[in-house]
Amino acid sequence: MILLGAVSILSIIGTQSYWLIQKWNQESKAFDQTTTIALLRVATEMAVLNKSTLPSKEIIKRMTPNYYIVNFNDIIDASVLEYLLLKEFGSLDNYTDFEYAIYDCSSDDMVYGNHCNLIESDKPTRTEGALPKYDEFNYYFGVRFPSRHLDLRTNASLTWFLALLAAMTIIFFSYAIWVILNQRRYSEMQRDFINNMTHEFKTPLTSIQLSSDYLSKQPRIQSDDRLRQYTELIRTQYQRLNLQVEKLLNVARLESGEFKLKREMIDVHALLDEVLETKGAETGIEGHTFHREFQAEQIVTMGDRSHLASVISNLIDNAVKYSTPMTPIKIATRNLNKSIHVSITDQGMGIAPAHQKHLFKKFYRVPSGNVHDIKGFGLGLHYVKTIVEMHGGDISVTSELGKGSTFTFVLPIKTK
């Protein structure tokens, strides 16, 4: 991305510079050609009036981009020269004003003639000062175009403006890259922290599990209702915390790039029954019933059994979490376009359309104000989407506030 951005900016700057130079060169060449032809006509007419001949070579000499010397080789009448210059340049476009001077042999200096404004003749003008002389000619006059100097300044200003704009673009691009690299570093630090933290949690969680299992088998605990209740509470909270830690570990594995699926032939209906049977034994599921509507006939897919089971488990957990007690949860399957569609529908609170497109983003949770009765890290659906896509499938959600939600994931079927 950095390389592409740098190439794009340099290409824009290069293109702007190239076209600006080309435009200026073309304008300068056109101005020089037109001015040379006009001055040659003036010199020719003056030679006819003086009954003289023009020099055989180097009649028009360009001293600067806006100053020209005309070699005449005869005495020059200032009034005639001004008349012819006004007539010639007045018939041309893009010529606003000019000033001229005639070389005087006796004083060895340029004698200033006049400043002629072709558009507003009565408007006072400012001259740039005496016209410089040229030592190689004996009889000559000089013509300068002050507005051309202003045009040069305008083009220089445009060049500086484009250079400033390019510099600002480069500065902004550099800042954006700096921010992106910092964000990447912070993201890597966050990922490493979560990864280390979850691994550190696994050891005490394993100890809690072993201890609770041991306590639950003791005769004294089994005979005391209060102690048995406490032991069951420890086991339940262990399962809840372990589930969250496993989600964090799964996301960390996915982001590390070391995650690989162990693919095998899977009967989707059998897998759904296994997960539902396990869910039916969990404490948090009490009060909910599962309605099976298995209509798919082609039910075999290639995938990772444990991770697809986690996908189904996560979606069922969400349906239970966001549903009111005693409401049924429907699990349906069907075949469409050489794939199997698995839908899990609840009759809960529903999700507003504005939040539906963000549901599968990492750490995203639907805002609930200051109410925190529904726990979680916002990782379950991100994990679900990632796993489904790694299996070549897709997942979507349809929901309506107050009526419930339907999550549907699609897996390709395995044909014989």
Side-chain angles (χ1 to χ4, degrees):
M1 185 182 67
I2 294 173
L3 181 61
L4 181 61
V7 170
S8 300
I9 290 176
L10 291 175
S11 299
I12 292 172
I13 295 173
T15 303
Q16 285 182 335
S17 302
Y18 173 77
W19 285 114
L20 186 64
I21 293 171
Q22 289 297 315
K23 179 183 177 183
W24 169 243
N25 287 338
Q26 289 177 0
E27 290 180 356
S28 180
K29 185 177 181 180
F31 179 83
D32 180 57
Q33 290 176 345
T34 305
T35 303
T36 300
I37 293 172
L39 290 175
L40 186 59
R41 287 175 180 172
V42 170
T44 303
E45 290 187 41
M46 286 184 61
V48 171
L49 291 174
N50 287 5
K51 297 180 180 181
S52 60
T53 58
L54 293 174
S56 59
K57 60 179 181 179
E58 202 175 12
I59 299 174
I60 312 297
K61 186 172 184 62
R62 185 183 187 185
M63 306 296 293
T64 65
N66 71 329
Y67 180 46
Y68 291 80
I69 292 291
V70 181
N71 187 12
F72 190 64
N73 266 356
D74 199 354
I75 298 174
I76 301 171
D77 188 326
S79 60
V80 174
L81 174 63
E82 181 173 330
Y83 169 77
L84 292 175
L85 289 172
L86 284 171
K87 184 184 75 169
E88 195 64 41
F89 290 121
S91 63
L92 300 175
D93 295 330
N94 300 324
Y95 288 84
T96 57
D97 61 341
F98 66 89
E99 54 186 353
Y100 68 93
I102 302 171
Y103 177 69
D104 187 354
C105 300
S106 59
S107 62
D108 189 27
D109 203 358
M110 295 292 290
V111 179
Y112 188 78
N114 195 12
H115 187 290
C116 303
N117 195 319
L118 298 171
I119 298 178
E120 300 178 49
S121 57
D122 297 333
K123 184 177 179 180
T125 54
R126 295 176 59 185
T127 179
E128 296 182 2
L131 277 67
K133 63 180 181 177
Y134 185 61
D135 295 333
E136 295 185 13
F137 296 156
N138 294 323
Y139 295 95
Y140 62 90
F141 63 90
V143 180
R144 182 164 57 192
F145 302 90
S147 297
R148 182 65 178 170
H149 187 60
L150 295 176
D151 291 342
L152 292 173
R153 290 181 178 178
T154 302
N155 279 279
S157 299
L158 179 60
T159 303
W160 280 109
F161 173 76
L162 291 176
L164 179 62
L165 187 63
M168 291 176 62
T169 305
I170 292 173
I171 291 171
F172 175 77
F173 177 74
S174 302
Y175 174 73
I177 294 302
W178 179 78
V179 171
I180 290 171
L181 293 177
N182 271 337
Q183 290 295 330
R184 180 181 178 183
R185 181 168 59 89
Y186 294 146
S187 178
E188 289 175 350
M189 290 172 61
Q190 179 192 62
R191 185 184 63 200
D192 291 341
F193 170 76
I194 293 175
N195 200 12
N196 293 332
M197 180 188 69
T198 48
H199 277 94
E200 289 295 327
F201 281 169
K202 290 299 288 184
T203 300
L205 282 173
T206 303
S207 300
I208 293 172
Q209 180 192 20
L210 294 174
S211 300
S212 62
D213 289 343
Y214 175 78
L215 287 174
S216 63
K217 295 176 182 178
Q218 299 304 308
R220 182 181 173 184
I221 300 296
Q222 293 178 351
S223 61
D224 190 318
D225 292 339
R226 187 181 64 176
L227 293 177
R228 187 170 64 251
Q229 183 179 1
Y230 287 157
T231 305
E232 183 62 25
L233 179 61
I234 293 172
R235 189 180 69 84
T236 302
Q237 294 304 314
Y238 153 76
Q239 290 176 345
R240 177 181 168 186
L241 182 57
N242 187 64
L243 178 63
Q244 299 298 337
V245 170
E246 284 296 330
K247 287 181 180 179
L248 286 169
L249 280 174
N250 286 331
V251 171
R253 292 191 192 102
L254 289 172
E255 292 184 346
S256 66
E258 300 174 357
F259 183 84
K260 292 184 179 179
L261 297 175
K262 297 179 181 179
R263 297 181 182 272
E264 58 180 296
M265 302 283 284
I266 300 174
D267 184 321
V268 176
H269 285 176
L271 184 61
L272 286 168
D273 286 333
E274 290 176 15
V275 175
L276 290 174
E277 184 178 351
T278 303
K279 289 296 176 185
E282 291 183 5
T283 306
I285 299 296
E286 283 119 350
H288 290 278
T289 56
F290 299 110
H291 290 177
R292 294 172 172 83
E293 293 185 6
F294 294 170
Q295 299 177 359
E297 296 181 357
Q298 296 176 303
I299 57 175
V300 177
T301 187
M302 286 292 292
D304 189 303
R305 176 175 290 274
S306 70
H307 285 288
L308 285 180
S310 295
V311 166
I312 298 168
S313 178
N314 271 284
L315 294 176
I316 292 175
D317 285 342
N318 271 3
V320 171
K321 188 188 301 184
Y322 294 98
S323 297
T324 54
M326 309 302 294
T327 55
I329 295 171
K330 184 176 75 173
I331 295 90
T333 65
R334 64 191 177 103
N335 289 125
L336 184 65
N337 297 329
K338 297 182 179 180
S339 60
I340 181 169
H341 292 233
V342 181
S343 301
I344 299 174
T345 305
D346 63 68
Q347 298 178 17
M349 62 183 71
I351 306 165
H355 301 298
Q356 292 179 20
K357 59 183 179 180
H358 302 294
L359 283 178
F360 301 101
K361 294 180 180 179
K362 188 169 63 172
F363 300 125
Y364 184 82
R365 299 189 66 204
V366 177
S368 57
N370 293 324
V371 181
H372 300 284
D373 53 341
I374 298 177
K375 309 299 180 182
F377 295 131
L379 293 172
L381 290 178
H382 170 73
Y383 166 76
V384 165
K385 180 178 176 63
T386 305
I387 292 298
V388 170
E389 289 180 346
M390 290 180 71
H391 282 81
D394 194 15
I395 186 169
S396 60
V397 59
T398 56
S399 183
E400 188 175 350
L401 284 175
K403 294 186 178 180
S405 306
T406 299
F407 285 86
T408 302
F409 67 91
V410 183
L411 297 173
I413 56 176
K414 178 66 176 177
T415 57
K416 294 181 180 181

